[in-house]
């Protein structure tokens, strides 16, 4: 799998660290060693940087001067897209979907505060379940009439090109493991808009890796989520020019037992996991994504999901800025 032929901007300057979670490993008291990959430490803070590395290269190659993207009220993706747009001197317009009714507040902190601080060209609010792609296309038409050349970055940066960020991450991990003589049996990843999950799934197949990949859903039931991941994976396979049958839908693992009532809504397991990572490892997670994924990760260890003696890696995708908008989740 050669990714060098794909243009990127070079936002990922060095591999993110893989570190042992020593205190949590001890605390869990199983014959399982826990590791974390610190993609939260990527510049601009999270997994969207890897996808945007390729997506913004595509935008610039196409001569675009403006980015349009969408996300939830506390979207890390919108904030990170805006951050890179500023550095690249591109305009950035954000369309926000209020997935939880009544959750938008113009004065909210976290990512919402940063949309304003970092100077998004426009911020449009839309109710939950709006057709965000259609709305972004409408916005693009308006901007074209003003003489702009807009580029639409899909929600979460998840399409066949964005997924390059995570097939390249899988390659990065393989190189690190061989350099550090570390064997990893399972990688646990978030499964949301799914560029992360799909990119890793395709790459591990293409590399013939024995590593098992476990996706933890952050919003959807398993069946629906598998369709979402599989669609992005197929687009990605096409971009890579690989054999269509390299990945089957049934190869995908999407666990929905840690979502709770829905996207961004509090679960007790999330709260415990965020607290444990903060207290044991001084690693900050977030309530919407990594807190729920970490809940799953630790619960699977507890329930002997991983085989005895195995090494498991948690992919930390970022999000801690959103933590500060969800103080209420931690106060009781
Ligand atoms: C977007 C996001 C995810 C989910 O990644 P997808 O590729 O959209 O599935 C996970 N964690 C954080 C912090 C995110 O911002």
């Amino acid at each position: 799998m050669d990714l060098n032929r794909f243009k990127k901007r070079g936002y990922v300057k060095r591999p993110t660290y893989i570190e042992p979670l020593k205190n949590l490993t001890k605390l869990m008291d199983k014959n399982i060693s826990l590791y974390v990959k610190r993609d939260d430490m990527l510049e601009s803070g999270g997994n969207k940087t890897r996808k945007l590395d390729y997506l913004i290269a595509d935008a610039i190659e196409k001569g675009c001067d403006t980015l349009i993207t969408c996300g939830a009220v506390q979207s890390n993706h919108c904030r990170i897209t805006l951050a890179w747009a500023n550095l690249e001197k591109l305009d950035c317009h954000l369309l926000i979907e209020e997935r939880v009714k009544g959750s938008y507040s113009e004065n909210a902190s976290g990512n919402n505060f940063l949309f304003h601080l970092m100077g998004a060209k426009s911020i449009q609010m839309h109710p939950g379940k709006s057709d965000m792609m259609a709305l972004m296309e409408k916005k693009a038409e308006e901007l074209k009439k003003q003489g702009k050349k807009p580029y639409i970055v899909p929600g979460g940066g998840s399409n066949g090109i964005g997924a390059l960020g995570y097939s390249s991450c899988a390659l990065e991990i393989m190189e690190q493991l061989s350099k550090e003589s570390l064997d990893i049996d399972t990688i646990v990843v978030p499964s949301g808009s799914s560029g992360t999950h799909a990119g890793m799934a395709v790459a591990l197949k293409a590399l013939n890796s024995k590593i098992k990949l476990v996706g933890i859903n952050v919003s959807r039931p398993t069946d629906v989520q598998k369709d979402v991941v599989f669609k992005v994976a197929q687009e990605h396979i096409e971009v890579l020019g690989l054999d269509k049958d390299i990945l089957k839908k049934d190869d995908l693992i999407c666990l929905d037992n840690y979502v709770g009532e829905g996207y961004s809504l509090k679960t007790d397991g999330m709260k415990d996991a965020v607290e444990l990572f903060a207290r044991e490892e001084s690693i900050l997670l977030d309530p919407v994504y990594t807190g729920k994924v970490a809940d799953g990760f630790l619960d699977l260890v507890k329930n002997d999901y991983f085989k005895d003696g195995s090494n498991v890696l948690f992919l930390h995708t970022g999000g801690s800025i959103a933590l500060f908008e969800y103080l209420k989740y931690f106060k009781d």
Side-chain angles (χ1 to χ4, degrees):
M1 202 179 57
D2 174 23
L3 300 181
N4 290 325
R5 65 204 150 102
F6 298 103
K7 288 218 164 59
K8 60 179 177 182
R9 299 298 290 166
Y11 299 159
V12 184
K13 297 192 185 70
R14 58 196 77 81
T16 56
Y17 296 136
I18 294 177
E19 313 252 33
L21 292 164
K22 285 196 190 121
N23 294 339
L24 280 173
T25 296
K26 218 182 246 171
L27 189 77
M28 298 307 282
D29 197 24
K30 297 272 182 183
N31 187 25
I32 306 279
S33 299
L34 280 54
Y35 293 84
V36 61
K37 180 154 174 77
R38 299 295 305 268
D39 267 18
D40 59 315
M41 303 297 265
L42 285 163
E43 276 174 66
S44 297
N47 64 341
K48 304 308 178 307
T49 287
R50 288 193 190 269
K51 306 182 200 181
L52 290 164
D53 201 359
Y54 291 94
L55 288 163
I56 295 180
D58 188 42
I60 289 173
E61 165 131 303
K62 294 191 164 118
C64 298
D65 56 17
T66 300
L67 301 180
I68 302 171
T69 200
C70 67
V73 296
Q74 280 293 328
S75 169
N76 300 300
H77 167 69
C78 285
R79 185 245 314 161
I80 297 174
T81 303
L82 174 57
W84 288 112
N86 284 350
L87 286 166
E88 298 280 14
K89 290 282 166 202
L90 302 167
D91 286 355
C92 184
H93 297 264
L94 303 178
L95 278 71
I96 304 298
E97 181 191 358
E98 193 185 47
R99 293 183 195 167
V100 177
K101 219 176 165 184
S103 64
Y104 178 71
S105 153
E106 204 189 318
N107 298 319
S109 89
N111 286 307
N112 175 79
F113 168 65
L114 295 183
F115 301 160
H116 296 280
L117 180 75
M118 300 176 89
K121 275 275 178 287
S122 71
I123 305 173
Q124 265 180 29
M125 281 304 306
H126 296 280
K129 299 209 165 66
S130 298
D131 183 346
M132 297 308 282
M133 186 48 94
L135 290 163
M136 288 195 290
E137 279 163 2
K138 190 168 157 230
K139 182 80 190 171
E141 287 312 312
E142 284 167 30
L143 289 167
K144 274 185 206 161
K145 279 185 201 139
Q146 297 164 22
K148 289 288 180 184
K149 290 192 171 165
Y151 183 92
I152 295 176
V153 176
S158 290
N159 61 16
I161 295 175
L164 282 164
Y166 273 88
S167 45
S168 62
C169 178
L171 280 176
E172 179 181 303
I173 291 173
M174 300 314 255
E175 269 173 37
Q176 283 176 300
L177 297 184
S178 97
K179 250 192 221 151
E180 295 168 25
S181 302
L182 176 63
D183 258 328
I184 289 290
D185 303 277
T186 306
I187 305 179
V188 174
V189 297
S191 204
S193 68
S194 90
T196 306
H197 190 174
M200 297 270 291
V202 170
L204 291 176
K205 280 282 177 197
L207 295 168
N208 242 328
S209 168
K210 290 202 174 60
I211 297 177
K212 180 171 170 179
L213 187 67
V214 176
I216 309 269
N217 304 3
V218 297
S219 60
R220 303 179 189 89
T222 291
D223 283 5
V224 184
Q225 185 62 24
K226 272 197 188 189
D227 287 343
V228 172
V229 182
F230 193 58
K231 180 167 176 281
V232 178
Q234 282 178 310
E235 287 172 23
H236 188 46
I237 285 167
E238 200 176 313
V239 167
L240 291 174
L242 294 172
D243 178 358
K244 261 203 182 113
D245 299 323
I246 185 172
L247 181 83
K248 292 176 207 61
K249 203 193 282 182
D250 279 340
D251 295 333
L252 297 167
I253 300 174
C254 294
L255 304 182
D256 62 7
N257 359 5
Y258 308 99
V259 175
E261 307 260 301
Y263 178 80
S264 78
L265 299 176
K266 182 185 171 186
T267 65
D268 292 338
M270 175 283 294
K271 179 175 181 257
D272 291 347
V274 171
E275 282 173 359
L276 266 182
F277 267 77
R279 291 170 192 183
E280 297 295 327
E281 301 290 348
S282 298
I283 291 177
L284 299 182
L285 305 175
D286 76 288
V288 182
Y289 295 100
T290 54
K292 287 183 178 176
V293 180
D295 176 28
F297 177 67
L298 297 176
D299 189 63
L300 294 173
V301 174
K302 253 185 243 163
N303 289 300
D304 302 314
Y305 178 89
F306 305 113
K307 67 176 191 296
D308 190 59
S310 62
N311 296 327
V312 295
L313 179 68
F314 167 73
L315 178 68
H316 185 347
T317 43
S320 64
I321 282 174
L323 191 55
F324 301 98
E325 179 49 24
Y326 291 98
L327 301 182
K328 56 183 185 292
Y329 284 6
F330 297 92
K331 287 205 163 148
D332 49 88

